[in-house]
Amino acid sequence: MSERPEIPDDVVAGREPGGSVLRGQGAAVAAVALGGALGALARWGLSLAWPTPAGGFPTTTLLVNVVGCLLMGILVVHVAEVRTAHPLVRPFLGVGVLGGFTTFSTFAVDAQHLLAAGRLGPALGYLGATVVGSVGAAWLGLVLGRGTAGAR
């Protein structure tokens, strides 16, 4: 019985054996960082404009996450299905801007705060509304994106 030689992970990933994982990725990393900063600043601005009162329902975070998922659905269609976009558009807009804009870590902390305050109903409503709203918005974004792409 012959054994198959193990193929190094870097070769499987398309890099030269022993090559750096980040080699040639500087522009993508910069695009993600810049986009993430812009998205996070936009979210921060919205949280300043519409803050959640102590113990209140985190409406702004819910809307940010749902809108971010809607935009992600539209972006996926227009960048991946309809057009041939520059290779940095997806990392900048998808991972960076929308990744920095949406905030599922704050979603988890908000839910924990509602639970810790004994507000089980609002906590469960927030959890459900965020998950269903975000998935539904991503689906709607795909539908809207395809609808607008078909009109072109």
Side-chain angles (χ1 to χ4, degrees):
M1 183 176 229
S2 66
E3 289 189 30
R4 299 168 85 182
E6 186 171 323
I7 301 172
D9 289 339
D10 48 4
V11 172
V12 172
R15 294 185 301 274
E16 291 293 322
S20 171
V21 173
L22 293 178
R23 185 177 188 180
Q25 297 300 313
V29 170
V32 169
L34 177 61
L38 294 173
L41 284 170
R43 175 174 33 92
W44 175 69
L46 291 173
S47 71
L48 289 178
W50 295 286
T52 300
F57 191 85
T59 305
T60 303
T61 303
L62 171 64
L63 292 175
V64 159
N65 287 333
V66 170
V67 168
C69 288
L70 175 75
L71 294 173
M72 181 60 78
I74 293 169
L75 177 72
V76 164
V77 170
H78 283 278
V79 172
E81 294 180 14
V82 176
R83 297 182 178 89
T84 303
H86 188 280
L88 295 179
V89 169
R90 285 170 59 179
F92 174 73
L93 291 175
V95 179
V97 174
L98 294 176
F101 182 68
T102 57
T103 175
F104 289 93
S105 58
T106 301
F107 155 70
V109 171
D110 288 342
Q112 189 273 332
H113 286 158
L114 287 169
L115 289 170
R119 301 191 61 212
L120 181 61
L124 291 176
Y126 177 59
L127 290 167
T130 298
V131 171
V132 171
S134 296
V135 171
W139 172 81
L140 180 60
L142 291 171
V143 170
L144 291 172
R146 289 183 182 127
T148 59
R152 291 180 183 257

